[in-house]
Amino acid sequence: MPNPTVAAGYPKALLEFAVSRGANRATLLERSHLCLDDLKNPEGRIPLTTYIALMKVGIELCDEPALALLFGEVIKAQDISSVGLLGETFGNLESGRALMNRYARLIVDPDDGNTADVVEFVPENGDVWLKFTSDVYRDNPLLAESALARGVCGVRPMLASLPGFAKMSFPKAIRFTHKEPSYRAEYDRIFGVPLFFGSHMNALLADKAFLHLSLPPPNPHLSQVLTAHAEELLKSLESSKTTRGKVEKLLTPNLHTGAASVDMIARQLGVSRQTLFRRLKAEGITFEKVLDELRHTRALKYLRDKKLSVNETAYLVGFSDPAAFSHAFKRWTGSSPRIYVSRSEASG
């Protein structure tokens, strides 16, 4: 069953936006079932249903039916996530489409197994529609209006300084699959172009000349760094969809209890113990190996990056006996945790 998610930076930004418009923070969190701890990493994942719930609660508390649309108008993608910054590095419309098709899932991941392009070019009467193909936008009008407002309002300033842009309008028109909202006047103010509701697609109409319009070359070093980071995020997203990734996600917050068992994880995944074993085996791994390797990687992180003590680390990765932890650590690395810490400090 699909489990669509959104990058945590988006609900975090929406939360702050709604609060700035008069909503109560605690009420927003409580009624949308959003946890502040889940928002600490802007590149983390939040269920899309939670994000949509936050939009609806924000609309009610702010008494502003156009809140999602205004959020898209005001808050830029580059202020929300690194993927938004990457969107500033495309050289033309075609390369921008390629970037979207590669990394859009880092913003909203439908998790539907669909490998089709997120954005398609649909020619019409000498112009071209930029069609957003995912059903998540068709199924969630608030998400669609917010995303399209952010896309249009983010691209227009980038294009405004280009030679010849003043003679063209971007976009020339917009189509929405949802019906016309009660706050249509805000749509007209923000977009300022012909709008069509109840259409067969969510799409922006662009002059065909935009396909060949070149933007100023991006900083090559910045582009390289952002692309490498996006690739790592994409790899992590794909890994989280494997059975191993799901098991690791459930194990991590329970490691310190020392009670992370296969029965507990199977129960949380809604499968039998035997089914969990079978799925892990199909991925070439066992539950015991997943647990052991997770303890290994977390132990290194706590000792090296967080500078925790050996005893604290032992507790956090599920060892009640520091001696047992030291034995396991030596098996993982070939040295004791104290020697590892000393070497890390010396090299750091």
Side-chain angles (χ1 to χ4, degrees), residues 82-272:
S82 59
V83 179
L85 288 171
L86 186 61
E88 294 187 326
T89 66
F90 67 89
N92 53 48
L93 204 58
E94 176 56 47
S95 64
R97 184 179 78 101
L99 271 176
M100 279 292 292
N101 286 332
R102 179 67 180 168
Y103 301 118
R105 286 181 298 136
L106 295 178
I107 300 174
V108 175
D109 177 31
D111 191 34
D112 55 6
N114 193 341
T115 58
D117 286 347
V118 176
V119 179
E120 293 179 351
F121 285 163
V122 181
E124 183 179 288
N125 300 326
D127 293 323
V128 61
W129 287 98
L130 280 69
K131 174 186 175 183
F132 296 81
T133 63
S134 176
D135 285 342
V136 295
Y137 297 104
R138 181 184 295 273
D139 297 339
N140 299 283
L142 295 176
L143 183 67
E145 67 181 19
S146 183
L148 286 172
R150 181 169 294 108
V152 170
C153 295
V155 169
R156 276 175 173 166
M158 298 170 62
L159 299 176
S161 61
L162 298 180
F165 177 75
K167 299 178 181 178
M168 297 183 281
S169 173
F170 181 82
K172 296 178 73 172
I174 307 178
R175 286 176 173 168
F176 298 96
T177 57
H178 57 268
K179 66 181 183 180
E180 181 175 313
S182 61
Y183 44 94
R184 164 68 187 264
E186 289 287 11
Y187 272 77
D188 290 327
R189 178 186 65 81
I190 292 171
F191 295 115
V193 298
L195 305 173
F196 303 93
F197 295 91
S199 177
H200 63 286
M201 64 179 176
N202 290 301
L204 307 173
L205 183 64
D207 190 304
K208 202 168 185 177
F210 274 133
L211 293 175
H212 310 291
L213 197 63
S214 295
L215 295 170
N219 180 311
H221 176 68
L222 178 62
S223 179
Q224 185 178 15
V225 170
L226 290 173
T227 299
H229 182 57
E231 286 295 325
E232 283 299 312
L233 291 175
L234 203 59
K235 182 179 178 181
S236 177
L237 178 61
E238 289 306 311
S239 175
S240 70
K241 297 180 183 181
T242 65
T243 300
R244 175 175 183 157
K246 294 174 182 176
V247 169
E248 288 181 341
K249 183 177 180 180
L250 293 173
L251 279 173
T252 299
N254 291 293
L255 279 181
H256 71 281
T257 67
S261 69
V262 65
D263 291 320
M264 180 190 76
I265 299 302
R267 188 164 54 250
Q268 291 184 9
L269 289 173
V271 299
S272 69

Side-chain angles (χ1 to χ4, degrees), residues 261-331:
S261 69
V262 65
D263 291 320
M264 180 190 76
I265 299 302
R267 188 164 54 250
Q268 291 184 9
L269 289 173
V271 299
S272 69
R273 175 191 180 100
Q274 291 73 21
T275 297
L276 179 55
F277 280 143
R278 186 170 63 251
R279 290 179 180 177
L280 287 171
K281 184 178 180 181
E283 295 178 5
I285 196 75
T286 65
F287 180 84
E288 291 74 17
K289 188 71 172 174
V290 172
L291 177 59
D292 190 61
E293 292 183 359
L294 182 61
R295 282 173 162 169
H296 177 192
T297 56
R298 300 302 293 182
L300 295 180
K301 182 176 181 64
Y302 292 141
L303 291 172
R304 180 184 61 232
D305 300 337
K306 297 194 177 289
K307 309 298 184 184
L308 298 184
S309 71
V310 173
N311 285 349
E312 286 175 316
T313 300
Y315 166 75
L316 288 174
V317 297
F319 287 87
S320 57
D321 180 8
F325 170 66
S326 295
H327 179 76
F329 195 89
K330 190 168 185 179
R331 172 170 55 82

Side-chain angles (χ1 to χ4, degrees), residues 44-95:
R45 309 303 301 180
I46 299 293
L48 183 60
T49 52
T50 302
Y51 183 42
I52 300 300
L54 180 65
M55 286 182 171
K56 292 178 178 178
V57 175
I59 286 169
E60 182 181 339
L61 295 182
C62 295
D63 192 23
E64 175 53 81
L67 184 72
L69 181 71
L70 299 177
F71 174 55
E73 175 196 18
V74 174
I75 307 300
K76 299 177 182 179
Q78 52 267 44
D79 294 331
I80 298 177
S81 72
S82 59
V83 179
L85 288 171
L86 186 61
E88 294 187 326
T89 66
F90 67 89
N92 53 48
L93 204 58
E94 176 56 47
S95 64

